């Protein structure tokens, strides 16, 4: 039996270049990641670190993260593991944990 894993990292959602928002670019890239996961029929998705660009990301970045993670789970049929990085606030990543687990999303803020 083989296991297909899609590993991605360093999304840095909410990143701006001075006053220029990169939200639209980030949305396109995350759509592409979801398409790759579906086309390749991966069994597990790992997002390793730096989900956000700052400890206090904008609301649109938080919404984009969780909507994308939910899409990656294929309605809870594919597990997704999201690991907080040094740019991420553990409280921000861990807050929706009970709801996220119901959707097949496992978040780790302290991977030890």
């Amino acid at each position: 039996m083989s296991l297909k894993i899609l590993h991605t990292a360093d999304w840095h959602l909410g990143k701006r270049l001075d006053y220029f928002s990169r939200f639209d670019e980030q949305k396109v890239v995350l759509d592409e990641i979801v398409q790759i996961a579906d086309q390749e029929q991966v069994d597990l998705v790992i997002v390793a670190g730096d989900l956000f660009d700052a400890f206090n990301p904008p609301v649109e970045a938080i919404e984009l993260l969780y909507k994308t993670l939910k899409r990656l789970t294929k309605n809870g049929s594919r597990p997704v593991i999201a690991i907080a990085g040094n740019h991420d606030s553990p409280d921000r990543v861990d807050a929706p944990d009970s709801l996220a687990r119901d959707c097949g999303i496992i978040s780790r803020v302290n991977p030890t």
Side-chain angles (χ1 to χ4, degrees):
M1 180 178 131
S2 64
L3 180 68
K4 280 190 173 182
I5 299 172
L6 175 63
H7 178 271
T8 180
D10 296 299
W11 288 2
H12 287 273
L13 299 179
K15 181 161 181 71
R16 301 178 64 84
L17 293 176
D18 290 325
Y19 296 103
F20 181 73
S21 172
R22 308 219 32 217
F23 181 76
D24 291 336
E25 296 170 62
Q26 293 168 346
K27 193 171 185 303
V28 168
V29 169
L30 295 184
D31 285 343
E32 184 177 357
I33 290 171
V34 172
Q35 288 173 5
I36 291 168
D38 290 345
Q39 287 171 356
E40 296 298 322
Q41 299 178 333
V42 301
D43 300 302
L44 169 69
V45 178
I46 299 173
V47 185
D50 293 340
L51 308 170
F52 300 113
D53 194 58
F55 264 46
N56 192 18
V59 172
E60 66 184 4
I62 296 168
E63 289 176 357
L64 180 59
L65 172 71
Y66 287 105
K67 284 180 180 180
T68 302
L69 294 178
K70 184 175 183 237
R71 288 175 58 206
L72 284 168
T73 70
K74 291 183 69 170
N75 297 317
S77 66
R78 174 173 46 212
V80 174
I81 300 172
I83 303 167
N86 66 316
H87 285 250
D88 302 313
S89 165
D91 292 338
R92 182 78 62 201
V93 173
D94 205 29
D97 186 59
S98 61
L99 178 60
R101 283 185 186 272
D102 289 344
C103 295
I105 302 165
I106 301 166
S107 60
R108 297 296 300 160
V109 295
N110 296 316
T112 57

